[in-house]
Amino acid sequence: MTPPVFPVPSTPGRRPTTRSRRAGLAAALVTALVATLVPAIGAAPAQAAPVLLSQGRPATASSTEGDAFPASAAVDGNTGTRWSSAFSDPQWLRVDLGSRATISQVTLVWEAAYARAFQIQTSDNGSSWTTVYSTTNGTGGTQTLTVNGAGRYVRMYGTQRATGYGYSLWEFQVYGETGGGGPGDPVEPTDPRNPNFGPNTFVFDPATPTATIQSRLNTIFNQQETNQFGPQRYAVLFKPGNYTADVNLGFFTQVAGLGMSPDDVNLNGHVRAEAFWFGGNATQNFWRAAENLSVTLPAGVQVERWAVSQAAPYRRMHLRGAQNQIQLWNGGDGWSSGGLMADTRIDGLVVSGSQQQWYSRNSEFGNGWTGSVWNMVFQGVAGAPAPSFPNPSHTVIPTTPVVREKPFLYVDGTGEYRVFVPALRSNSSGTSWYNKTPAGSSISLADFFIVRQGTSAATINSALAQGKNLLFAPGVHRITEPIQVNRANTVILGLGLATIQADNGTVGMRVADVDGVKVAGIMFEAGTTNSPVLMEVGPAGSSASHAANPTSLHDVFFRIGGPGVGRATTSLVVNSHNVIGDHMWLWRADHGDGVGWTVNTADTGLIVNGNNVTMYGLFVEHYQKYQTIWNGNGGRTYFYQNELPYDPPNQAAWMNGSTRGYAAYKVADSVTSHQAWGLGSYAYFNVNPAVVAERSFEVPNNPNVRFTNMVTVSLGGVGTINRIINNTGNTVNTANQVAYLTTFP
């Protein structure tokens, strides 16, 4: 959020592990797996091979030797990481399988510190345990144990150490089959012709009376116009056909068509966002969405208004009429601080007005674009203005190198609900659908589990383990253990800006290092107990290439504080290679409840460790250390918007060693290739205007690390950014509030 204080422009050290030791462990693990999974020649017909159930599941332990040896390291599939306990007896390591399972085998890959005496135990509730294996003569190394038991929880319970150290496991692997014939979490099937989307989703068809539709829209808007921190979430969906409706979107409301093309649903009226509730200032018009619709304005009206700031996508839309225009501000009053337009056709003109920055991707503007303030980026856009940064501040990139459009819900010609998953496109421009047939695949909603409010993470994980995709109904979904996505090509789609709240310090979601996972339309909310990370894509050390089928994140948002106290050290960590980010806002709250320097604590928004990761439309704001850290090679960012934290109480509280403050975007010194286009970083140190940020962008001096078209701003002259990138660029402060730089190096 940008503060509403400006005039509107007239124009708008433990035991080391050697490489050879890790290689040996990897070989031992492979040998164990082969022995487990390959039947002997001439053996009698066997049961289906047991399934590895424990990898990536939540793990806890009685103790750890230190922060470098967490319980999770024993179930991450990485033979170079391990759990290690304190140096005493007894100790235990426990894994939560998410639902009851029949357990047939347990493999333990010990480090040198192994158990002489231990038990393998199962439990349905995590408190009452049944022993399924016991020994007082443990051998260490790799132990593959045949067991016969069932439960949701499995643990190694060590009673005698073999060395003076603790218990240390490279891997703890539990094999079996889900569904143990006992108490478990039910996974409700989905009727694809009559799905239960919960009470906050409203589906209309052309037979619904116009008055009924408008009454519902008005009721939702009146509740949501100012409700930016309430728990209410809504989705309004229109089946193919023609309607008359004025859709005025408030907070946490999504309107979407249910056609294969936006033109399958036509609204005669408006799909709009206004800022009258805030005196015309749209800098807090967050968290709403318009998708997959066409709009025909009423007779005599030529202006549609989409006055929004962050997390308000205008995606896969068609505003009809070459004579019309869409205004991205309130029209004559107030600032706006957006935004995203993607896969959209505007027959007429786009007017940006007071928009401070905007990112348009793979769209078509019939009569072009007018307007500029600080940072307008156009990528793969037909009808984009000429490149001219910084006057006007238009960065134009002809094509989009590799992207997948956001999956969407639709109803086919037989009345079945399905989800369309657009195909990967390379070097693309224009929309995926206008005057063309979209490429991609379609999945029946029968293959989705609908997550409604109150569904436990255990049930969600059971559905995932059964091969289901997920559709989150509108609401706040509170979880106390991570949602674990292990299957390649899983689709996770949210309606109504569905929100996953990570309670009790849990991680919100972990995605395995697999191909083609799609997460779309989800917001992650921090709980009151600090979470180490809210979302992790790939475990640490992920190494597989996903160039042919990358994981992609679409309209995925993060929030630390606002409704109340929230805390998370890092919001998003990307460890997998080739991940695509398609519009994300990572936000530590600067207003609302539970807000303060020592209250809604959060170090970093985004950490990228994977190689060849691409971000389109990345917004990261107000974190207390580096906003973004990029450790992987081959990274690319197209459009970056940042505000530094408003609230450092003094310079001493915000120091990076001897450096004043933290950069907004840090490319690690070890990186040898990275590119970024169209970046803005702003300061507004309203708690203490004497605070200084030394620089906004901090990168290695390497000719293959290139930044193009940067801007820094002292908002209202409140605070100082000394340099734009490294030691280059002008200072912004009260006297000189805006500075530009076109290239570095």
Side-chain angles (χ1 to χ4, degrees), residues 301-367:
V301 176
Q302 295 185 332
V303 175
E304 185 71 292
R305 188 167 290 126
W306 190 249
V308 298
S309 289
Q310 292 86 353
Y314 196 83
R315 185 187 286 274
R316 211 168 192 269
M317 294 288 289
H318 184 191
L319 180 61
R320 298 172 184 260
Q323 75 281 7
N324 296 326
Q325 64 176 248
I326 183 168
Q327 297 181 351
L328 304 180
W329 63 319
N330 214 53
D333 57 349
W335 280 95
S336 46
S337 184
L340 173 91
M341 187 176 286
D343 204 20
T344 285
R345 166 80 186 183
I346 306 296
D347 288 350
L349 176 68
V350 183
V351 181
S352 63
S354 69
Q355 274 291 347
Q356 297 165 343
Q357 67 280 318
W358 191 271
Y359 178 60
S360 302
R361 182 185 59 72
N362 287 90
S363 294
E364 301 169 14
F365 304 153
N367 284 329

Side-chain angles (χ1 to χ4, degrees), residues 488-502:
N489 299 310
T490 300
V491 177
I492 299 174
L493 179 62
L495 296 179
L497 293 97
T499 301
I500 296 171
Q501 180 169 318

Side-chain angles (χ1 to χ4, degrees), residues 538-712:
S542 293
S543 59
S545 172
H546 306 288
N549 186 14
T551 285
S552 52
L553 313 178
H554 313 265
D555 299 339
V556 176
F557 310 131
F558 299 82
R559 186 167 70 179
I560 315 292
V565 175
R567 300 184 177 98
T569 304
T570 305
S571 291
L572 172 63
V573 175
V574 176
N575 292 313
S576 288
H577 299 329
N578 310 105
V579 171
I580 296 171
D582 171 28
H583 186 222
M584 294 191 294
W585 186 34
L586 299 82
W587 187 66
R588 173 180 169 261
D590 61 271
H591 65 277
D593 293 331
V595 172
W597 188 251
T598 60
V599 181
N600 61 326
T601 52
D603 284 358
T604 300
L606 171 66
I607 299 176
V608 177
N609 296 318
N611 293 333
N612 304 311
V613 170
T614 304
M615 294 287 165
Y616 301 105
L618 177 60
F619 303 72
V620 189
E621 297 191 297
H622 309 310
Y623 289 84
Q624 294 174 290
K625 293 184 179 179
Y626 288 122
Q627 312 290 301
T628 298
I629 301 173
W630 209 295
N631 296 315
N633 274 310
R636 294 176 293 188
T637 295
Y638 298 92
F639 180 91
Y640 184 76
Q641 188 264 330
N642 160 259
E643 288 182 1
L644 298 168
Y646 288 1
D647 53 343
N650 50 59
Q651 192 70 64
W654 198 51
M655 291 290 291
N656 180 13
S658 60
T659 300
R660 294 178 293 183
Y662 290 80
Y665 194 115
K666 165 68 174 177
V667 179
D669 294 346
S670 59
V671 169
T672 58
S673 60
H674 187 92
Q675 296 183 74
W677 294 261
L679 305 97
S681 175
Y682 316 147
Y684 182 67
F685 300 134
N686 62 332
V687 171
N688 187 338
V691 169
V692 175
E694 190 59 41
R695 60 185 61 89
S696 284
F697 307 102
E698 185 174 309
V699 306
N701 288 307
N702 185 306
N704 294 318
V705 177
R706 301 192 299 273
F707 278 56
T708 302
N709 294 353
M710 295 158 277
V711 58
T712 54

Side-chain angles (χ1 to χ4, degrees), residues 89-139:
D89 295 312
Q91 302 288 341
W92 52 263
L93 173 76
R94 184 185 84 174
V95 61
D96 179 359
L97 303 179
S99 62
R100 199 170 200 266
T102 300
I103 311 303
S104 57
Q105 179 181 295
V106 174
T107 296
L108 304 101
V109 183
W110 295 100
E111 197 253 357
Y114 66 96
R116 179 72 68 195
F118 68 94
Q119 300 167 17
I120 301 298
Q121 300 177 325
T122 63
S123 174
D124 286 323
N125 56 21
S127 57
S128 300
W129 294 92
T130 299
T131 298
V132 296
Y133 175 87
S134 180
T135 184
T136 57
N137 295 295
T139 60

Side-chain angles (χ1 to χ4, degrees), residues 275-281 330 333-334:
F276 299 118
W277 71 277
F278 204 40
N281 190 310
N330 214 53
D333 57 349

